């Protein structure tokens, strides 16, 4: 007979004594259980003790968290959080350097525990740590442990960042600005400044006054801290007031980080990131890729103001830009005398330039998006790539009317399309690492990207022999060409051109046809019947593959306040498919993790269901902001007896599909992910082709005329010519 659900069997350790094996009744008060354990070792004052996990983060167990204790868990009797906080607070203020160092080291470890943190903060512990930092008497390891403890305590959100003093900010900024500082101190200082900026509007202004771009650029060549430096740049950029982002200053290396527009356009900063980060001698890890993606998004978001600005048809300065486009294209033609003749000539020229409104082309730029951004792109092309601009305009103006590619209309719609593809104006997604190296290779990457794409559009228009009625079809093909090329992650603008050259209109048609092959080639009734017979066998193969992957296991990231100090955990299915084993890890593993290192487990028979997306408990607590959208798409939870959950955030869409499919297969439910549908179609198509190929290779020996018999259920004929 199984034990009651409220009873868990655990081992409890105490230094110098034999472990106690007890059956913990979860209905009894925790204080009563601790008193009983203390009595077993003849320890008085049970109220001064608490239980902690012996493995992993070794968190304190409270009435709220005791439900997480599983059968077979090893616990440890320890001094209570309040007592530990009081002792450490006294020790970190002692005169003995060695004793203070050991106390700070222990404090840095314990500060991650929310129960301990609450007690330590209630005793004015954060203020004490702040005074130690402000005194400037701590160096080396002692300072590193102090900053670690401070950051861990603040990350619990118990104390507002607004309470931090200006002298503390100056001291932390001083560590960043000093030329020779220990790496561990720099990492923690940059992380503290990032948290200040992200969590307090008032502190943003103070930090921005203390830190300049030039000071952070110097840290980008150090691979140990470059992620922290870029994260701080991103945080300052993200929180900068809108009007301050667009300002330009004469000396970018001495300007403060509130003036971000000119900063991110500076060749020095971009080249440092390109040469020391993107092209560095170390592979780019997930967190660095995320920070580069955020930097890319925030840089492109500088275009949002122009993208959402309508042209004022009465603004002479704006109209002069259109006159400039006309002048560059038709430079050799002198203006006729007389207002009517000049107006007629302008109308003709604006038609040749491809504007929709030939009389007043300013009206073409009144729709947002893309607004004035489209005009900016056209002017850049006309001035910087003048030969290309003139060739495109004159080439189309000399065609037959029905095949001319309207440059103006195309440039406006292309700008809008590029804004959509690169999500200009959108906030960064929390879990996204999708940065493009080529955008860090040029000071005017956006404009150069447009220039490449407008030439592609003109080329595709000719290849399709398009007319005005085909405009939307051409734009669809161009969008596909661009998105396919970007997916290949070209490392430079020139490499993008090479990728696009290989994606001609005929190649797009070939790719489309190839991708539709499994749908188009097998639609006859006998083939459909054959497909239905094969499908259960293929589904079983997919099921076994999913279960095998679950047996290998996967590493998952724990969601926290700070991404760079990531915490991981690993989960894998037992080889007999009866138990899910999981446990915490100090770092991301290389390969499989042995079952012995995974301290927790869930019997598969206890699993009730698998939840996904917004139905997961750990997603209901998160906000609905844009940056959480991707995390939401990767979230799933295992609901098991007695109404508890094991929560996951998959590292990728592929892992999400593998795990949700595998768990559904374990529970005898339908595997319904996009990956399974794709695998099913691919494998069935391959199997059917192999079977049809076998039919083709059959040699039929000579024989007497066959005796008539019942017709086969497969009455199909193939011509293998």
């Amino acid at each position: 007979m199984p034990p009651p659900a409220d009873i868990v069997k655990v081992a409890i350790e105490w230094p110098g004594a034999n472990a106690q094996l007890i059956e913990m009744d979860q209905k009894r008060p925790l204080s009563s259980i601790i008193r009983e354990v203390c009595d077993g070792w003849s320890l008085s004052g049970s109220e001064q003790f608490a239980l902690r996990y012996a493995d992993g983060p070794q968190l304190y167990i409270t009435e709220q968290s005791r439900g997480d204790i599983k059968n077979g868990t090893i616990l440890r009797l320890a001094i209570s959080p309040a007592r530990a906080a009081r002792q450490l607070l006294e020790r970190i203020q002692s005169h003995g350097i060695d004793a203070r160092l050991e106390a700070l080291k222990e404090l840095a470890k314990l500060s991650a525990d929310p129960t301990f943190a609450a007690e330590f903060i209630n005793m004015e512990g954060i203020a004490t740590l702040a005074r130690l930092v402000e005194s400037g008497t701590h160096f080396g390891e002692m300072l590193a442990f102090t900053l670690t403890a401070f950051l861990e305590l603040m990350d619990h959100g118990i104390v507002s960042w607004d309470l931090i003093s200006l002298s503390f900010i100056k001291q932390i900024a001083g560590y960043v600005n000093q030329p020779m500082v220990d790496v561990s101190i720099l990492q923690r200082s940059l992380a503290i400044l990032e948290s200040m900026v992200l969590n307090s509007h008032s502190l943003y202004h103070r930090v921005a006054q203390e830190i300049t771009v030039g000071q952070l650029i110097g840290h980008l060549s150090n691979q140990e801290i470059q992620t922290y430096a870029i994260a701080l740049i991103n945080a300052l950029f993200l929180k900068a007031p809108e009007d301050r982002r667009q300002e330009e200053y004469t000396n970018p290396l001495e300007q403060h980080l509130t003036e971000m527009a000119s900063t991110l356009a500076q060749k020095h900063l971009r080249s440092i990131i390109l040469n020391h980060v993107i092209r560095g001698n170390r592979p780019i890890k997930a967190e660095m890729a995320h920070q580069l993606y955020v930097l890319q998004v925030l840089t492109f978001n500088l275009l949002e103001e122009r993208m959402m600005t309508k042209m004022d048809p009465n603004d002479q300065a704006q109209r002069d830009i259109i006159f400039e486009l006309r002048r560059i294209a038709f430079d050799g033609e002198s203006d006729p005398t007389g207002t009517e003749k000049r107006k007629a000539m302008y109308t003709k020229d604006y038609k040749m330039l491809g504007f929709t409104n030939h009389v007043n082309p300013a009206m073409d730029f009144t729709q947002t998006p893309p607004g004035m951004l489209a005009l900016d792109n056209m002017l850049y092309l006309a001035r910087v790539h003048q030969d290309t601009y003139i060739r495109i305009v004159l080439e189309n103006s000399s065609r037959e009317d029905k095949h001319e590619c309207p440059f103006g209309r195309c440039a406006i719609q292309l700008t809008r399309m590029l804004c959509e593809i690169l999500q200009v104006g959108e906030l960064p997604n929390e879990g996204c690492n999708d940065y493009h190296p080529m955008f860090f290779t040029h000071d005017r990457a956006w404009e150069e990207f447009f220039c490449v794409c407008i030439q592609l559009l003109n080329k595709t228009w000719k290849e399709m022999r398009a007319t005005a009625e085909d405009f939307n079809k051409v734009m669809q093909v161009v969008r596909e060409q661009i998105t396919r090329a970007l997916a290949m992650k070209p490392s430079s603008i020139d490499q993008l051109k090479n990728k696009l050259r290989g994606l001609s209109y005929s190649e797009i048609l070939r790719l489309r046809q190839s991708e539709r092959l499994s749908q188009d080639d097998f639609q006859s009734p006998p083939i459909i019947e054959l497909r239905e017979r094969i499908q259960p066998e293929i589904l079983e193969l997919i099921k076994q593959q999913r279960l095998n992957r679950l047996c290998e296991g996967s590493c998952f990231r724990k969601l926290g306040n700070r991404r760079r100090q990531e915490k991981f955990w690993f989960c894998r299915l037992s080889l007999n498919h009866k138990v899910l084993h999981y446990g915490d890890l100090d770092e991301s593993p290389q390969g499989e993790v042995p079952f012995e290192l995974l301290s927790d487990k869930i019997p598969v028979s206890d699993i009730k269901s698998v939840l996904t997306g917004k139905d997961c408990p750990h997603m209901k607590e998160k906000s609905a902001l844009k940056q959480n959208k991707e995390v939401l798409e990767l979230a799933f939870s295992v609901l098991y007896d007695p109404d508890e959950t094991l929560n996951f955030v998959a590292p990728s869409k592929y892992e999400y599909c593998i795990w949700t499919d595998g768990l559904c297969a374990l529970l005898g439910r339908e595997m319904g992910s996009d990956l399974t549908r794709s695998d099913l179609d691919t494998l069935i198509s391959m199997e059917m082709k192999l079977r049809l190929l076998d039919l083709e290779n059959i040699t039929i020996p000579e024989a007497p005329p066959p005796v008539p018999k019942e017709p086969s259920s497969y009455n199909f004929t193939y011509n293998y010519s």
Side-chain angles (χ1 to χ4, degrees):
M1 183 176 178
D6 294 322
I7 302 296
V8 288
K9 297 181 178 180
V10 299
I12 302 179
E13 299 176 339
W14 176 255
N18 293 327
Q20 295 185 38
L21 302 177
I22 69 169
E23 293 186 350
M24 181 183 291
D25 186 350
Q26 295 286 49
K27 291 183 178 179
R28 287 179 59 192
L30 200 55
S31 58
S32 174
I33 296 172
I34 294 172
R35 183 166 55 250
E36 183 180 303
V37 171
C38 289
D39 290 344
W41 284 315
S42 301
L43 298 172
S44 59
S46 62
E47 67 279 358
Q48 296 294 317
F49 293 92
L51 293 176
R52 293 171 62 185
Y53 289 99
D55 302 316
Q58 301 180 6
L59 299 177
Y60 278 103
I61 295 166
T62 64
E63 291 289 355
Q64 291 73 31
S65 65
R66 63 186 296 180
D68 296 331
I69 301 174
K70 308 293 187 299
N71 280 315
T73 301
I74 301 176
L75 306 179
R76 178 176 299 158
L77 187 67
I79 61 174
S80 68
R83 184 179 173 189
R86 192 178 306 107
Q87 290 181 357
L88 284 175
L89 194 58
E90 293 171 357
R91 289 166 57 195
I92 64 175
Q93 299 177 83
S94 64
H95 296 292
I97 294 179
D98 292 339
R100 197 186 311 168
L101 178 61
E102 286 302 313
L104 287 168
K105 185 176 182 180
E106 187 177 347
L107 177 63
K109 183 178 179 181
L110 273 176
S111 294
D113 188 305
T115 309
F116 170 85
E119 295 290 348
F120 190 80
I121 290 171
N122 285 338
M123 297 176 186
E124 301 296 327
I126 286 183
T128 302
L129 292 177
R131 285 194 296 272
L132 292 176
V133 173
E134 291 169 12
S135 67
T137 57
H138 283 46
F139 305 97
E141 268 192 314
M142 191 175 295
L143 178 58
F145 288 132
T146 304
L147 297 178
T148 301
F150 178 86
L151 190 54
E152 291 284 359
L153 291 166
M154 291 300 297
D155 272 349
H156 291 292
I158 300 173
V159 176
S160 171
W161 283 92
D162 288 316
L163 300 177
I164 303 302
S165 67
L166 181 59
S167 59
F168 181 85
I169 297 172
K170 287 182 176 293
Q171 190 69 38
I172 297 296
Y175 298 138
V176 174
N177 296 336
Q178 288 177 17
M180 298 295 292
V181 178
D182 185 76
V183 168
S184 59
I185 295 173
L186 268 176
Q187 288 177 338
R188 288 153 180 79
S189 298
L190 289 166
I192 288 172
L193 292 173
E194 180 196 0
S195 293
M196 287 179 182
V197 171
L198 292 176
N199 290 285
S200 170
H201 180 71
S202 61
L203 291 188
Y204 155 76
H205 291 284
R206 293 179 180 178
V207 173
Q209 291 171 0
E210 299 294 330
I211 301 294
T212 64
V213 178
Q215 291 156 349
L216 289 177
I217 284 179
H219 296 309
L220 293 178
S221 58
N222 187 331
Q223 293 178 331
E224 299 295 330
I225 58 175
Q226 56 190 195
T227 305
Y228 294 83
I230 293 179
L232 179 54
I233 291 175
N234 286 339
L236 285 157
F237 189 15
L238 186 64
K239 294 297 181 179
E242 199 68 34
D243 57 334
R244 300 288 283 174
R245 295 185 195 176
Q246 304 294 338
E247 295 178 9
E248 297 203 8
Y249 285 72
T250 55
N251 189 350
L253 296 186
E254 292 301 323
Q255 72 189 49
H256 294 294
L257 275 164
T258 48
E259 295 86 50
M260 297 303 301
S262 57
T263 297
L264 294 175
Q266 292 307 316
K267 182 177 180 179
H268 191 45
L269 175 60
R270 179 192 58 74
S271 63
I272 288 287
I273 292 175
L274 179 66
N275 296 323
H276 291 278
V277 180
I278 296 175
R279 295 177 180 171
N281 55 14
R282 286 188 183 183
I284 293 179
K285 295 183 179 180
E287 173 55 24
M288 175 58 83
H290 174 73
Q291 294 300 339
L292 290 173
Y293 155 77
V294 172
L295 184 59
Q296 172 185 290
V297 170
L298 296 177
T299 304
F300 284 141
N301 282 357
L302 291 171
L303 304 169
E304 184 181 11
E305 182 179 353
R306 295 292 285 173
M307 180 183 76
M308 299 308 295
T309 299
K310 296 180 180 181
M311 186 172 186
D312 181 0
N314 298 317
D315 188 320
Q316 187 59 44
Q318 295 179 3
R319 295 178 56 149
D320 285 345
I321 300 176
I322 299 178
F323 293 150
E324 176 77 356
L325 293 175
R326 176 194 167 276
R327 185 195 63 78
I328 294 173
F330 310 112
D331 189 36
E333 302 179 19
S334 58
D335 288 354
T337 58
T339 304
E340 292 301 322
K341 288 184 178 181
R342 188 181 298 113
K343 183 181 294 185
M345 183 177 182
Y346 283 3
T347 300
K348 178 186 174 183
D349 289 348
Y350 291 145
K351 181 179 180 181
M352 292 170 66
L353 281 170
F355 289 112
T356 303
N357 192 318
H358 307 151
V359 177
N360 186 6
M363 298 302 296
D364 287 16
F365 300 96
T366 56
Q367 182 181 2
T368 58
M372 289 294 291
L373 184 59
L375 188 58
D376 295 342
N377 286 341
M378 295 165 70
L379 185 62
Y380 181 87
L381 175 68
R383 286 178 172 173
V384 180
H385 300 279
Q386 192 170 112
D387 291 342
T388 300
Y389 168 70
I390 294 174
R391 176 179 56 79
I392 291 174
V393 172
L394 297 185
E395 183 181 86
N396 285 287
S397 64
S398 61
R399 283 186 196 170
E400 299 178 32
D401 285 349
K402 64 177 183 178
H403 287 300
E404 65 182 7
C405 177
F407 169 74
R409 182 183 177 192
C410 287
I412 292 170
Q413 289 304 313
L414 178 63
T415 301
R416 179 172 183 168
M417 179 198 297
L418 297 183
C419 289
E420 292 172 356
I421 292 173
L422 296 177
Q423 298 181 324
V424 174
E426 299 283 346
L427 285 173
N429 284 324
E430 172 63 27
C432 186
N433 302 334
D434 188 25
Y435 78 97
H436 296 281
M438 71 172 185
F439 290 129
F440 293 87
T441 63
H442 201 285
D443 296 332
R444 304 296 293 271
W446 164 263
E447 291 87 349
E448 289 294 320
F449 183 45
F450 168 82
C451 293
V452 171
C453 292
I454 193 67
Q455 294 177 74
L456 169 72
L457 196 160
N458 188 58
K459 173 174 169 285
T460 302
W461 187 283
K462 289 188 288 186
E463 290 174 349
M464 294 178 67
R465 293 189 57 80
T467 63
E469 289 75 19
D470 300 318
F471 184 86
N472 291 334
K473 293 180 182 178
V474 175
M475 297 305 294
Q476 289 173 4
V477 173
V478 171
R479 176 186 282 270
E480 187 171 346
Q481 290 170 315
I482 294 170
T483 52
R484 285 181 183 272
L486 288 177
M488 300 178 200
K489 291 288 189 282
S491 59
S492 66
I493 298 293
D494 288 337
Q495 197 174 100
L496 173 69
K497 295 177 183 177
N498 292 332
K499 300 292 184 187
L500 290 172
R501 271 194 285 270
L503 288 169
S504 62
Y505 176 54
S506 59
E507 178 64 11
I508 292 295
L509 290 180
R510 190 192 68 78
L511 290 170
R512 287 178 175 179
Q513 185 176 7
S514 175
E515 291 166 0
R516 287 197 300 261
L517 188 62
S518 61
Q519 300 173 8
D520 294 343
D521 284 0
F522 302 103
Q523 297 301 320
S524 62
I527 294 296
I528 292 174
E529 184 178 344
L530 176 60
R531 181 187 180 91
E532 290 174 351
R533 290 192 178 190
I534 294 173
Q535 183 163 317
E537 179 184 342
I538 301 298
L539 271 174
E540 184 60 29
L541 287 174
I542 294 174
K543 174 182 174 181
Q544 291 304 317
Q545 187 270 344
R546 301 295 192 260
L547 293 175
N548 289 341
R549 279 288 292 109
L550 263 62
C551 290
E552 295 172 7
S554 298
C555 180
F556 300 91
R557 179 173 62 87
K558 287 190 172 183
L559 291 180
N561 293 328
R562 284 176 288 117
R563 296 173 53 95
R564 283 166 307 291
Q565 297 189 6
E566 291 184 312
K567 297 180 180 179
F568 302 91
W569 65 287
F570 198 88
C571 186
R572 62 183 297 197
L573 179 65
S574 63
L575 300 181
N576 62 6
H577 299 176
K578 291 186 177 180
V579 179
L580 274 180
H581 296 265
Y582 65 97
D584 294 332
L585 301 175
D586 293 331
E587 58 184 17
S588 182
Q590 303 297 322
E592 289 186 6
V593 175
F595 289 110
E596 298 77 31
L597 297 181
L598 304 176
S599 57
D600 300 309
K601 58 185 178 181
I602 300 172
V604 172
S605 58
D606 288 350
I607 297 177
K608 295 180 179 180
S609 63
V610 179
L611 307 175
T612 60
K614 62 183 180 181
D615 295 328
C616 298
H618 59 313
M619 291 295 106
K620 291 179 180 178
E621 300 170 0
K622 298 183 73 63
S623 68
L625 292 177
K626 168 75 176 177
Q627 52 263 46
N628 291 321
K629 180 182 177 183
E630 189 152 337
V631 176
L632 193 68
E633 293 174 350
L634 298 176
F636 62 98
S637 299
V638 171
L639 181 63
Y640 61 98
D641 289 334
D643 298 327
E644 296 189 28
T645 57
L646 182 62
N647 299 317
F648 299 75
V649 175
S652 65
K653 190 67 177 178
Y654 175 80
E655 288 290 328
Y656 170 84
C657 294
I658 289 290
W659 273 86
T660 52
D661 282 344
L663 292 169
C664 287
L666 271 180
L667 301 179
R669 297 171 187 172
E670 182 180 354
M671 299 181 294
S673 74
D674 294 338
L675 180 65
T676 289
R677 287 191 288 272
S678 174
D679 287 350
L680 186 62
D681 288 340
T682 302
L683 292 173
I684 286 178
S685 297
M686 291 172 61
E687 178 67 15
M688 291 175 71
K689 288 176 183 177
L690 288 173
R691 294 195 184 192
L692 293 174
L693 189 61
D694 288 341
L695 287 175
E696 178 187 7
N697 294 330
I698 291 175
T699 301
I700 302 177
E702 292 184 8
V707 178
K709 56 183 179 180
E710 291 296 322
S712 168
S713 60
Y714 295 103
N715 296 318
F716 53 87
T717 303
Y718 286 92
N719 179 15
Y720 295 102
S721 56

